[in-house]
Amino acid sequence: MNQAELILFIVKIWGGIGALVAIPFLTFGIDRLDEDARGAYVFRPLLVPGILLIWPLILWRWNILVNGKDEWSHRYRPPRRSHQVFALIMPVAIVLIIAAGLSMRQSWPADIAPIQLSEPAE
């Protein structure tokens, strides 16, 4: 088995487990977790690709909410500690990106003469 076959095998296993998680979660699990999802069946197929990819997070969150271990007071509190760091990093990164873009100029060979394009014939 080469690397490509191994990667494809792992992707198939991951997707299969995700499908096994998506079926019970979308049939009865989402109704217990989100009261706004009760009776809303049209949007559920749209969630399948996301569940196939992040099924471990779905299982972890589903377990926390069903067992009552969720700290609801922390759920809506934004992580403001990281805001100051990104407020300093982003302007510096933008300036560096613009400076790098302006400093990298293409140099053409000096012996190539410019060619004037003719107008299209009518």
Side-chain angles (χ1 to χ4, degrees):
M1 177 181 290
N2 60 16
Q3 289 180 347
E5 290 174 341
L6 179 64
I7 292 171
L8 185 61
F9 178 73
I10 291 171
V11 168
K12 286 181 181 180
I13 295 296
W14 188 270
I17 295 172
L20 292 175
V21 169
I23 292 169
F25 180 72
L26 292 177
T27 53
F28 63 88
I30 199 168
D31 291 335
R32 295 179 182 175
L33 300 180
D34 188 10
E35 60 189 33
D36 293 331
R38 293 183 184 140
Y41 298 105
V42 176
F43 84 98
R44 292 181 187 195
L46 298 173
L47 300 176
V48 171
I51 294 173
L52 291 177
L53 291 176
I54 61 169
W55 61 267
L57 182 62
I58 300 290
L59 286 177
W60 173 72
R61 190 74 179 143
W62 191 5
N63 182 30
I64 286 176
L65 291 174
V66 167
N67 292 333
K69 298 177 185 175
D70 184 37
E71 296 182 24
W72 64 270
S73 61
H74 298 293
R75 187 182 312 166
Y76 299 107
R77 185 173 55 198
R80 293 196 176 132
R81 283 177 269 156
S82 62
H83 288 189
Q84 289 179 342
V85 173
F86 283 105
L88 295 174
I89 291 174
M90 290 301 290
V92 172
I94 290 171
V95 169
L96 290 175
I97 290 169
I98 291 173
L102 291 174
S103 67
M104 293 181 191
R105 297 184 181 213
Q106 294 180 350
S107 60
W108 294 94
D111 58 343
I112 296 178
I115 300 173
Q116 183 176 1
L117 299 175
S118 61
E119 296 180 6
E122 290 184 24

